[in-house]
Amino acid sequence: MLARVQSAHLLGIEPYWVEVEVDIAQKGLPYFSIVGLPDTTVKESRDRIKAAFKNTGFPFPIKQITVNLAPADLKKEGSSFDLPIAIGILSAEGHIPNKILKDYLLVGELSLEGKLRPVKGVLCIASKLVESGIKKLIIPKENASEASVVKDIEVYALNDLVEVVEFLKGEKTIEPFKREIELSDSDFYEDLADVKGQFYAKRALEIAASGGHNILFVGPPGSGKSMLARRLPGILPPMTLQEAIETTKIHSVAGLLYEGVGLVLKRPFRSPHHSASDIALIGGGQIPKPGEVSLAHNGVLFLDELPEFKRNVLEVLRQPLEDGYVTVARSYATVQFPARFLLVAAMNPCPCGHYGDTLKPCTCTPNMIMRYRSKVSGPLLDRIDIHIEVPRVNYDDLRDDSPSESSKSICERVIKARQIQLKRFQEEGIFSNAHMKTKHLKKFCKLDEDSHSLLKNAMEKLGLSARAHSKIIKVARTIADLEGSENIKYHHIAEAIQYRSFERQIFNT
Ligand SMILES: Nc1ncnc2c1ncn2[C@@H]1O[C@H](COP(=O)(O)OP(=O)(O)OP(=O)(O)O)[C@@H](O)[C@H]1O
Ligand SMILES: [Mg+2]
């Protein structure tokens, strides 16, 4: 007899519908074969299914079993076909009526004792389920929370193979899994109030958060660069439901959702080590998996010790920084992962870290310093709007116990500034000042004569490049927005120039 079970496979974060066809024939020598471009993990299903049948008391048919995963031209990987194949076999053997199976989509890995194990990417499948014409989803219990995020579908989160069979045969009633989503922004971020002193750096961080500007911290060891970077997600506006779903999908595909987590509500903070490969950063693999830039989607990507990253690794950041997504090309398919993040980079001013330090002398030769700084790729620097020095904290600041401003109160200003930008750009297809193109600069960033001459002066005196020019104006736009000022004024430009004045010293551009 022939049975058909609906299932799904993921390419990137996009689900593809797969029909699992199971044919069981009586004559000839017994075999169990799986066709339809399965990789080795899918082929291993056979052993898991046999053991699961034995340990749950279902008789495994000693017959000719052919399983086809259609469409056959799409490469399949992973263990999520265990459950649909097992159910297909039971249905082909007449244990479950085949006609009821057409209303359900099943995914799940089987343990040897027949328990359902969680699989990756269930939210991606659930969120597109309606498009497949099916409304009922059978999944392992551990995947319940993420799937319940999607409305208008029925999620049945079950424990083991026996329970799935009893449920499908109508012997056991199970209610669809439901959970209300709470989009609360409880205080689970580290607070910027913990950072003593560093007022300029904190101000720069607030501007970066408000306008979506990438930021570079330069300073000696132990001055609080990493501390500041870690606190950036906490001053960004809370994630919207849409953003939370996008981020959760990526984490679900990467297998990074832990049990009970429905939605990733906290803005991600990813901090890859400088020895990370370009694949780790951008994503890839035989069946493409998201990399750090995608895991940081809607959050912060922190590159500590920027000059230590290999040049080719930094070069691959250009596409996501420009487009907000990455493309991973494979011989059989091209996969796109979203990757819109705020970049925070940190570095020491020189190899020993004490160049310009008032207390500790620098032990590096000019040559060493030059080599160190030239390791940072120019095109990457080009995409960082704000450069800020984070000097050593002085003792008085450190022992000062008076309360500093909390992340929560800074975040309120950031939200206001973001709202101004959303309104301004609603017909422009961008969301923040950092993404303005030349036409937007012309339209939204008019300067008066005084500001023009200040900027001209600064460019000449500081020897700033043309690329610095538009960045200063973008940052000035954000400073004006934070102040609620419609026009960019002289003092906004003056402050924005400070966030570039450091550039020439450090990078000689
Ligand atoms: N401004 C500060 N306020 C309070 N504590 C600070 C400050 N700066 C540094 N510290 C303390 O020093 C520790 C190290 O700070 P952090 O790791 O942020 O330095 P860093 O600038 O990233 O150094 P490195 O260049 O070595 O990476 C922190 O864990 C914190 O305890
Ligand atoms: Mg650090």
Side-chain angles (χ1 to χ4, degrees), residues 132-203:
S132 74
I134 298 175
K135 280 191 145 184
K136 299 176 182 179
L137 183 64
I138 297 183
I139 52 168
K141 199 146 220 156
E142 275 100 329
N143 290 123
S145 302
E146 52 175 306
S148 69
V149 167
V150 181
K151 299 276 167 261
D152 306 325
I153 62 167
E154 290 174 26
V155 175
Y156 298 94
L158 307 184
N159 283 309
D160 51 38
L161 185 59
V162 177
E163 196 171 36
V164 179
V165 175
E166 287 173 348
F167 170 66
L168 287 171
K169 285 166 83 173
E171 290 168 358
K172 187 169 182 179
T173 337
I174 291 170
E175 290 300 314
F177 183 88
K178 288 238 165 359
R179 204 176 78 168
E180 283 309 310
I181 314 166
E182 284 173 39
L183 267 183
S184 65
D185 61 332
S186 48
D187 47 347
F188 44 24
Y189 295 106
E190 289 170 290
D191 201 324
L192 208 53
D194 303 340
V195 182
K196 309 277 182 203
Q198 305 300 14
F199 300 106
Y200 291 111
K202 284 191 198 173
R203 166 76 176 163

Side-chain angles (χ1 to χ4, degrees), residues 203 206-207 209-213 412-425 430-434 436 444-445 473-489 491-493 495:
R203 166 76 176 163
E206 177 177 337
I207 296 168
S210 303
H213 304 286
E412 281 166 19
R413 291 196 294 272
V414 172
I415 291 173
K416 276 199 193 129
R418 289 254 174 175
Q419 278 162 350
I420 294 173
Q421 295 165 64
L422 283 178
K423 203 163 153 217
R424 173 187 305 135
F425 298 130
I430 56 171
F431 309 101
S432 61
N433 292 335
M436 282 193 283
F444 301 115
C445 306
I473 297 178
K474 284 181 195 174
V475 172
R477 181 66 269 171
T478 302
I479 298 170
D481 289 342
L482 269 168
E483 211 181 87
S485 160
E486 191 171 334
N487 297 317
I488 300 177
K489 299 189 181 143
H491 64 282
H492 303 140
I493 288 284
E495 186 179 349

Side-chain angles (χ1 to χ4, degrees), residues 222 224-227 302 304-305 346:
K225 301 182 293 297
S226 305
M227 260 185 116
F302 177 44
D304 205 357
E305 326 265 351

Side-chain angles (χ1 to χ4, degrees), residues 123 243-253 257 262-264:
L123 175 58
E243 284 178 323
I245 291 177
E246 284 172 11
T247 306
T248 310
K249 277 185 183 177
I250 299 168
H251 286 244
S252 169
V253 169
L257 284 185
L263 275 179
V264 176

